């Protein structure tokens, strides 16, 4: 009797294990089969030799490729957040191919969470791809693949149902399946890459040149490289004069060791027009050593013009308020002498660049 019970338990146990194995297999298969080719939109401009680019977008992802000579660099964003800054990728637009032809051979496989970007590789005897793996927070090189059968060249790429890391391509008309084989990745020139990346990062991504009013250059962080102070229009102002003088966004771009930029922004430093008196608003930026001064004009009591000087000091990659000064001119009495005023760190302590605005300066003057 005990033997019979033991056998029954063994059978049930084995069935349970088989059931678990089957369930895991189904999950794995389903996950692998979820990788499907997806449609994407593309935008490109191949008419400017030094600014050729291609943008590929779908489901919140944006792959932006810029071309430098015969090299391609790709930046990956997800919902306007940079996942991976420019890195060199292997992309075929040379030899017997061109930009437009190469663009047509791009493929993307996606399962709703992560995916594979297939870029056509350099022209060889057989079609080949350089494959990159991506998700909402990563982008990296995966492998190089070759297709040694031209009969499937225009087919659909799918993931193996049992192994998502294995791909094959199916001819759209005949249904014939062709396997990819692993290929040697094309070598990358490190020297050229470093120079190209520096050029791309110096261009300052996403800057809208049409809104840029003025740009001032100086080596503020004393690393031997040029830094930038950019003043932008206020497109929300009511007329052209106000757009160029009041409520102007300002950016300070400090150079980094790897050719990147550290951006410091302030959209409230250059105050908006309060309409109570006529003044010039923003007028200039002056730089000296590690210091830069924003010069602007306001007024009070209707008749008194106030020339303000907001001076900042750059310490490595930090920007601190150094001092604030005001000079006065009475329009109703030109001979009247009004003593100028200056406030320093003894009065306000260590204040970051992005924390300085009109309200802060007003409270400072009222102390």
């Amino acid at each position: 009797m005990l033997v019979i019970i033991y056998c029954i338990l063994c059978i049930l146990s084995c069935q349970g294990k088989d059931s678990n194995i089957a369930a895991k297999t189904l999950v794995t298969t389903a996950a692998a089969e979820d990788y499907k080719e997806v449609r994407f939109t593309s935008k490109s401009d191949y008419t400017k030799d030094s600014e050729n680019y291609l943008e590929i977008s779908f489901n919140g992802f944006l792959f932006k490729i810029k071309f430098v000579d015969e090299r391609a660099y790709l930046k990956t964003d997800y919902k306007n957040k940079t996942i991976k800054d420019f890195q060199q990728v292997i992309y075929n637009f040379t030899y017997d191919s061109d930009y437009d032809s190469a663009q047509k051979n791009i493929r993307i496989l996606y399962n709703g969470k992560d995916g594979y970007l297939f870029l056509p590789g350099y022209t060889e005897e057989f079609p080949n791809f350089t494959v990159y793996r991506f998700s909402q927070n990563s982008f990296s090189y995966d492998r190089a693949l070759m297709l040694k059968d031209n009969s499937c060249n225009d087919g659909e790429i799918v993931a193996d149902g049992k192994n998502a890391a294995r791909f094959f391509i199916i001819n759209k008309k005949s249904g014939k399946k062709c396997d990819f084989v692993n290929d040697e990745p094309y070598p990358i020139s490190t020297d050229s890459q470093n120079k190209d990346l520096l050029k791309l990062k110096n261009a300052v991504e996403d800057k809208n040149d049409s809104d840029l009013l003025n740009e001032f250059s100086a080596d503020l962080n004393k690393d031997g490289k040029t830094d930038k102070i950019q003043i932008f229009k206020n497109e929300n102002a009511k007329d052209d004069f106000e757009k160029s003088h009041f409520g102007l966004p300002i950016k300070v771009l400090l150079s980094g060791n790897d050719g990147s930029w550290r951006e410091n922004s302030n959209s409230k430093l250059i105050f908006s027009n309060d309409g109570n008196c006529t003044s010039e608003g923003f007028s200039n930026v002056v730089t000296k050593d590690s210091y830069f001064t924003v010069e602007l004009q306001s007024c009070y009591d209707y008749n008194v013009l106030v020339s303000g000087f907001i001076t900042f000091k750059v310490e490595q990659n930090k920007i601190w308020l150094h001092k604030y000064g005001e000079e006065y001119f009475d329009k109703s009495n030109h001979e009247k002498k009004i003593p100028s005023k200056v406030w320093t760190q003894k009065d306000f302590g260590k204040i970051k660049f992005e924390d300085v605005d009109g309200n802060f300066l007003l409270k400072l003057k009222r102390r």
Side-chain angles (χ1 to χ4, degrees), residues 207-231:
K207 182 181 74 174
N208 189 338
D209 290 333
S210 64
D211 291 340
L212 184 64
L213 276 175
N214 210 334
E215 183 174 271
F216 305 86
S217 300
D219 183 10
L220 297 170
N221 57 5
K222 299 305 172 187
D223 63 352
K225 302 172 186 176
T226 301
D227 305 308
K228 301 177 182 180
I229 302 170
Q230 297 178 331
I231 309 296

Side-chain angles (χ1 to χ4, degrees), residues 26 48 73 162 185 295 299 304:
L26 287 172
K48 303 175 183 178
Y73 296 87
K162 296 181 180 179
E295 300 180 352
C299 59
V304 179

Side-chain angles (χ1 to χ4, degrees), residues 89 268 356:
V89 293
K268 297 182 179 180
V356 182

Side-chain angles (χ1 to χ4, degrees), residues 215-261:
E215 183 174 271
F216 305 86
S217 300
D219 183 10
L220 297 170
N221 57 5
K222 299 305 172 187
D223 63 352
K225 302 172 186 176
T226 301
D227 305 308
K228 301 177 182 180
I229 302 170
Q230 297 178 331
I231 309 296
F232 294 87
K233 288 182 182 179
N234 174 11
E235 292 295 348
N236 295 321
K238 63 182 181 180
D239 57 45
D240 289 339
F241 182 79
E242 285 200 9
K243 288 180 179 180
S244 301
H245 290 269
F246 296 95
L248 310 180
I250 178 171
K251 291 183 181 180
V252 181
L253 302 164
L254 301 176
S255 59
N257 294 329
D258 58 353
S260 62
W261 294 100

